[in-house]
Amino acid sequence: MSISVGLSLSVSGLQPGEETARVAEALTAFLTKHDLEDDVAVSQDAPAGQVFAETDYPIIVTRFGPWSDTIEQGSQDTVHALAPTAQVDLRWEFEDEDY
C-alpha cells in the first residue's frame, strides 16, 4: 500500500558559514542517494546557521514505516557526523489525514 506524504526538515544550531554549507551539501547528497533529489529541496540560511529541506508537493511512498525509519535515522546521522550538537527536527505531513 502507498501513502502520500510531505517532508519538512529543519536543522539549527550550526556554526554560520562553512559548517552550515557542509551540512546542506551532505543532506543534498543523502537525499540524492535515496532518489529524493527531485522531490525535496534543500536550502540554507548560512548567517543564521540553519538548513532546511522540504517537499513542495506530497510524494508517494510504499512501505512507509521502514522507509521513514531509514530517512529519519539517516538524516540525523548525516547531520550529526558533521555537527554533533545540531538540532534536527523532521516532520511528516500526511495528505490523507483527517483534521
Side-chain angles (χ1 to χ4, degrees):
M1 186 164 110
S2 299
I3 186 170
S4 295
V5 298
L7 166 69
S8 174
L9 183 137
S10 174
V11 181
S12 58
L14 299 168
Q15 293 296 316
E18 190 176 320
E19 183 178 64
T20 301
R22 284 195 320 262
V23 168
E25 260 182 48
L27 276 176
T28 299
F30 171 77
L31 294 167
T32 299
K33 177 182 172 184
H34 292 281
D35 297 322
L36 293 170
E37 68 275 9
D38 294 332
D39 301 311
V40 182
V42 177
S43 61
Q44 62 180 300
D45 182 347
Q50 296 177 318
V51 173
F52 308 97
E54 64 184 343
T55 54
D56 288 330
Y57 50 87
I59 54 177
I60 299 171
V61 178
T62 303
R63 299 192 65 215
F64 177 75
W67 179 84
S68 67
D69 290 344
T70 298
I71 299 303
E72 290 171 16
Q73 189 62 55
S75 61
Q76 291 269 349
D77 293 347
T78 297
V79 170
H80 289 143
L82 297 170
T85 61
Q87 294 82 45
V88 180
D89 181 25
L90 188 149
R91 295 174 190 242
W92 299 108
E93 181 178 310
F94 300 93
E95 184 178 78
D96 300 329
E97 267 184 348
D98 292 328
Y99 294 96

